[in-house]
Amino acid sequence: AAKLGSKQSCFWKAEADFAAVESKVEEQAEAAWAEALKNHLAAKKHRQLRDELEIQERRRMERLQALEIEKRQVVLEEEAQEKARKEFRKELQSELREAESAWLQKMAPRWREESEEVKRKARSTDLEMQYQQQ
């Protein structure tokens, strides 16, 4: 009976030790699971943030490219406008020269007549003065 009691006591002690070890292992497993879950969630959050940053960077680059294209278009439009202004000025100056030339040609006979009239009057006045002086 003493041996049986001693064996039972050893059994209960072993059972208690096993239960304590099993409880400790379960606690460690739960802690490891919680840590793994925490790490998994942190990694997931990290990937989400990285993906979000990549999307933002891609959008920023797209906006930058769009601005560069718009800038090139503005420069091309300004160059085209400047070329058109120069061409317009050139055509306007050409038309002005042609109009001036036509007007001068039109007015030349009239000015010659006026000039001849002034010369005749001047001669007539000179002749009168010479006549009066004599």
Side-chain angles (χ1 to χ4, degrees), residues 3 13-14 70 78 85 109:
K3 275 189 173 184
K13 183 175 181 341
E70 188 177 330
E78 287 174 350
R85 277 193 292 275

Side-chain angles (χ1 to χ4, degrees), residues 12-45:
W12 291 117
K13 183 175 181 341
E15 186 73 25
D17 288 344
F18 177 78
V21 167
E22 186 179 37
S23 175
K24 189 167 184 138
V25 167
E26 284 178 9
E27 284 178 21
Q28 288 174 346
E30 285 178 16
W33 177 254
E35 186 67 23
L37 184 59
K38 181 178 142 189
N39 289 340
H40 173 74
L41 292 175
K44 184 177 178 180
K45 183 69 174 174

Side-chain angles (χ1 to χ4, degrees), residues 46-60:
H46 177 75
R47 283 190 303 275
Q48 287 174 337
L49 290 173
R50 187 192 64 225
D51 292 347
E52 207 174 292
L53 284 173
E54 286 175 0
I55 290 168
Q56 288 176 358
E57 180 63 17
R58 192 174 24 238
R59 286 182 183 154
R60 188 184 72 77

Side-chain angles (χ1 to χ4, degrees), residues 14-121:
E15 186 73 25
D17 288 344
F18 177 78
V21 167
E22 186 179 37
S23 175
K24 189 167 184 138
V25 167
E26 284 178 9
E27 284 178 21
Q28 288 174 346
E30 285 178 16
W33 177 254
E35 186 67 23
L37 184 59
K38 181 178 142 189
N39 289 340
H40 173 74
L41 292 175
K44 184 177 178 180
K45 183 69 174 174
H46 177 75
R47 283 190 303 275
Q48 287 174 337
L49 290 173
R50 187 192 64 225
D51 292 347
E52 207 174 292
L53 284 173
E54 286 175 0
I55 290 168
Q56 288 176 358
E57 180 63 17
R58 192 174 24 238
R59 286 182 183 154
R60 188 184 72 77
M61 291 302 289
E62 288 169 356
R63 284 192 305 269
L64 186 62
Q65 289 173 344
L67 286 173
E68 285 294 323
I69 290 169
E70 188 177 330
K71 181 182 172 184
R72 274 187 244 125
Q73 288 174 338
V74 167
V75 167
L76 290 175
E77 286 174 9
E78 287 174 350
E79 288 173 353
Q81 288 175 356
E82 183 61 28
K83 184 178 178 183
R85 277 193 292 275
K86 284 180 181 178
E87 189 63 33
F88 178 73
R89 273 189 236 124
K90 203 187 256 185
E91 289 175 14
L92 195 59
Q93 287 173 348
S94 177
E95 288 176 13
L96 183 61
R97 279 191 299 272
E98 288 174 16
E100 184 180 29
S101 177
W103 184 76
L104 289 172
Q105 287 176 359
K106 177 183 170 186
M107 294 303 287
R110 183 173 173 188
W111 291 334
R112 275 193 292 275
E113 284 178 30
E114 289 175 357
S115 177
E116 291 299 320
E117 181 67 27
V118 167
K119 287 179 187 176
R120 278 192 298 272
K121 284 182 183 178

